[in-house]
Amino acid sequence: MAQKFLEKGYEVTEHTEKADIYIINTCTVTNMSDRKSRQMLRRVRDLSKEAIIVACGCYVQVGEEELKKIDEIDLILGNNEKKDIVEHVEKYIETHQKDTKVDDVMYKKDFVEFGDITYTEKTRAVIKIQDGCDRFCSYCIIPYARGRVRSRNPKNIISEINKIAQKGIKEIVITGIHIASYGKDFDNKYKLIDLLEEINKIKGIERIRLGSIEPLLITEEFLLRLVKLEKVCEHFHLSLQSGCDETLKRMNRRYTTRQFRDIVELLRKYYKNVILTTDIIVGFPQESKEEFTITYNFLKEIKFYKMHVFKYSPRKGTKAAQMKGQIDGKIKEERSQKLIELSNINQKTYNVQYVGKKVDVLFEEQKDGIYKGHTKNYILIHCNDIKNDLNNNKRTSNTSNKEIENQILTVKCIKAHEEYIEAELQ
Ligand code: SF4
């Protein structure tokens, strides 16, 4: 949406600044996200009484009626309208007529094409390859906000990445709502692996990172082809959610811990330096002490590099929100703390193994004199003395961010911390 405005000559500002138009791309993944979206919509009105305020995105998709009650909003637009965002706003500028346009996404069969998006706020570009999800996990509202699986035409994806590569971007992140389902609506004749093989050939792109993936995507057949793609990063974010089969069943996740363990073994067999990260929900309805202990022990065994731990929060409109046996907030907090501790230990232990090793880092930013970037397997690296190193030990005060940003450089790891490794340029 930012790019669409830029193409028409608008300027994009920070959301905290005074602007003429505010586009709030709402999220609805939890009740809290809904609340934050509403707060943001009201807050921007305080920044400017005259501004045009647009609510779009997933909360609009499932909470249209609630949003209509908020006077501050001028336009309410569903997910399918985002591609025409500028036209909607310009119509409002002419007519000053409040409007709501929200299609029922459940009946949509085609991916909504935005055109080649090359606008990126970060060093790495996010490439959307599909929309929607058919999995219906019992806690999740996303299938209702995003609709069924719709895959993006591979030609458009390749065209977009080519343009991004021409801009000098080296790393892309393949993303979507459920990327493992890519191609399902092409009768499975062209799947994610076919697409990745084509992307791997694009000149200029040096790293292909996969966004969160469904564990069941990883089969030996898939890995035998994937491992040949040298640009694919050895970092896989496998959403596990629980390490207990009973909890997984209630969550309507479609794998068992045994299958998951086999998948992890396969990944570790094919990728020597693989880093695995995951999402875990604690305090899911009816998660007993025993179930949590099973989860904890499973996680201890798997040793994820990092776990994103979420305390279950009931999402209105989902099956899990209606389940008996909702867990007390204090228990959720305790369980969450236990898993965060485990995650921190794992991360530090893994980082320590890198001390003394040389790694290639794609530098992303400089903040307070510290240069930050990630390795191919997604370890965060901090370098302090790049100014000196880059200038052959001649200290200068004007080495700019741009000199280092978006460069892949070799560094030597010198000290491991929980969240990152300190390193020096080689
Ligand atoms: S697979 Fe992911 S997006 Fe789809 S329903 Fe489950 S949690 Fe939601």
Short mmCIF file of all heavy atoms in Angstrom, two decimals, residues 133-137 139-143 177-178 214 241 253, ligand 1:
data_model
loop_
_atom_site.label_atom_id
_atom_site.label_comp_id
_atom_site.label_asym_id
_atom_site.label_seq_id
_atom_site.Cartn_x
_atom_site.Cartn_y
_atom_site.Cartn_z
N CYS A 133 -5.86 -19.85 4.40
CA CYS A 133 -5.47 -21.09 5.07
C CYS A 133 -6.70 -21.99 5.20
O CYS A 133 -7.79 -21.52 5.52
CB CYS A 133 -4.92 -20.77 6.46
SG CYS A 133 -4.43 -22.24 7.36
N ASP A 134 -6.49 -23.29 4.93
CA ASP A 134 -7.60 -24.24 5.02
C ASP A 134 -7.50 -25.14 6.25
O ASP A 134 -8.18 -26.15 6.34
CB ASP A 134 -7.61 -25.17 3.78
CG ASP A 134 -7.79 -24.40 2.49
OD1 ASP A 134 -8.24 -23.25 2.55
OD2 ASP A 134 -7.47 -24.97 1.42
N ARG A 135 -6.62 -24.79 7.20
CA ARG A 135 -6.33 -25.74 8.28
C ARG A 135 -7.31 -25.65 9.46
O ARG A 135 -7.50 -26.62 10.17
CB ARG A 135 -4.90 -25.56 8.80
CG ARG A 135 -3.85 -25.63 7.74
CD ARG A 135 -3.86 -26.97 7.04
NE ARG A 135 -2.95 -27.90 7.65
CZ ARG A 135 -2.67 -29.10 7.16
NH1 ARG A 135 -3.26 -29.50 6.04
NH2 ARG A 135 -1.84 -29.90 7.76
N PHE A 136 -7.84 -24.50 9.72
CA PHE A 136 -8.81 -24.33 10.81
C PHE A 136 -8.36 -24.88 12.16
O PHE A 136 -9.03 -25.71 12.77
CB PHE A 136 -10.18 -24.92 10.42
CG PHE A 136 -10.82 -24.17 9.28
CD1 PHE A 136 -10.63 -24.57 7.96
CD2 PHE A 136 -11.58 -23.04 9.53
CE1 PHE A 136 -11.19 -23.86 6.90
CE2 PHE A 136 -12.14 -22.31 8.47
CZ PHE A 136 -11.96 -22.72 7.16
N CYS A 137 -7.20 -24.44 12.61
CA CYS A 137 -6.77 -24.78 13.97
C CYS A 137 -7.82 -24.19 14.92
O CYS A 137 -8.36 -23.11 14.65
CB CYS A 137 -5.39 -24.19 14.26
SG CYS A 137 -4.16 -24.82 13.12
N TYR A 139 -7.93 -22.63 17.63
CA TYR A 139 -7.75 -21.35 18.34
C TYR A 139 -7.66 -20.17 17.38
O TYR A 139 -7.51 -19.03 17.82
CB TYR A 139 -6.45 -21.40 19.17
CG TYR A 139 -5.25 -21.82 18.35
CD1 TYR A 139 -4.55 -20.90 17.59
CD2 TYR A 139 -4.85 -23.16 18.32
CE1 TYR A 139 -3.48 -21.28 16.81
CE2 TYR A 139 -3.78 -23.55 17.54
CZ TYR A 139 -3.10 -22.61 16.79
OH TYR A 139 -2.04 -22.99 16.00
N CYS A 140 -7.70 -20.42 16.08
CA CYS A 140 -7.25 -19.41 15.12
C CYS A 140 -8.39 -18.83 14.28
O CYS A 140 -9.21 -19.55 13.72
CB CYS A 140 -6.20 -20.04 14.22
SG CYS A 140 -5.51 -18.89 13.05
N ILE A 141 -8.39 -17.53 14.15
CA ILE A 141 -9.45 -16.83 13.40
C ILE A 141 -9.01 -16.58 11.95
O ILE A 141 -9.83 -16.20 11.10
CB ILE A 141 -9.80 -15.49 14.13
CG1 ILE A 141 -11.11 -14.87 13.64
CG2 ILE A 141 -8.70 -14.46 13.99
CD1 ILE A 141 -12.35 -15.54 14.12
N ILE A 142 -7.73 -16.80 11.68
CA ILE A 142 -7.18 -16.38 10.38
C ILE A 142 -7.94 -16.94 9.16
O ILE A 142 -8.21 -16.19 8.22
CB ILE A 142 -5.66 -16.69 10.33
CG1 ILE A 142 -4.95 -15.70 11.26
CG2 ILE A 142 -5.10 -16.56 8.91
CD1 ILE A 142 -3.47 -15.92 11.43
N PRO A 143 -8.33 -18.22 9.14
CA PRO A 143 -9.05 -18.70 7.95
C PRO A 143 -10.31 -17.88 7.65
O PRO A 143 -10.69 -17.72 6.50
CB PRO A 143 -9.40 -20.15 8.30
CG PRO A 143 -8.34 -20.55 9.27
CD PRO A 143 -8.08 -19.32 10.09
N ILE A 177 0.19 -16.87 4.38
CA ILE A 177 -0.51 -17.29 5.59
C ILE A 177 -0.14 -18.74 5.90
O ILE A 177 0.07 -19.11 7.05
CB ILE A 177 -2.04 -17.15 5.41
CG1 ILE A 177 -2.41 -15.70 5.10
CG2 ILE A 177 -2.78 -17.65 6.64
CD1 ILE A 177 -2.10 -14.71 6.19
N HIS A 178 -0.05 -19.55 4.87
CA HIS A 178 0.30 -20.96 5.07
C HIS A 178 1.09 -21.40 3.83
O HIS A 178 0.54 -21.99 2.90
CB HIS A 178 -0.99 -21.79 5.23
CG HIS A 178 -0.76 -23.15 5.77
ND1 HIS A 178 -0.76 -24.27 4.97
CD2 HIS A 178 -0.48 -23.58 7.02
CE1 HIS A 178 -0.52 -25.33 5.72
NE2 HIS A 178 -0.35 -24.93 6.98
N GLU A 214 4.62 -25.01 8.03
CA GLU A 214 3.91 -26.15 8.60
C GLU A 214 4.89 -27.33 8.59
O GLU A 214 5.47 -27.66 7.55
CB GLU A 214 2.70 -26.39 7.68
CG GLU A 214 2.17 -27.76 7.62
CD GLU A 214 1.13 -28.01 8.70
OE1 GLU A 214 0.38 -27.09 9.01
OE2 GLU A 214 1.10 -29.15 9.18
N GLN A 241 3.52 -25.34 18.37
CA GLN A 241 2.40 -24.92 19.24
C GLN A 241 2.26 -25.72 20.53
O GLN A 241 1.96 -25.15 21.57
CB GLN A 241 1.04 -24.91 18.50
CG GLN A 241 1.03 -24.16 17.19
CD GLN A 241 1.37 -22.68 17.28
OE1 GLN A 241 1.77 -22.21 18.35
NE2 GLN A 241 1.26 -21.95 16.19
N ARG A 253 -4.27 -29.37 15.38
CA ARG A 253 -3.05 -29.42 14.59
C ARG A 253 -2.98 -30.84 14.04
O ARG A 253 -3.42 -31.77 14.69
CB ARG A 253 -1.81 -29.12 15.46
CG ARG A 253 -1.85 -27.80 16.17
CD ARG A 253 -1.71 -26.63 15.26
NE ARG A 253 -0.37 -26.48 14.72
CZ ARG A 253 -0.04 -25.54 13.82
NH1 ARG A 253 -0.94 -24.70 13.37
NH2 ARG A 253 1.18 -25.45 13.36
S1 SF4 B 1 -2.29 -23.20 10.12
FE1 SF4 B 1 -1.78 -21.20 11.00
S2 SF4 B 1 -3.10 -19.71 9.94
FE2 SF4 B 1 -3.93 -21.72 9.51
S3 SF4 B 1 -5.54 -22.01 11.03
FE3 SF4 B 1 -3.67 -22.94 11.87
S4 SF4 B 1 -2.65 -21.33 13.07
FE4 SF4 B 1 -4.23 -20.34 11.76
#
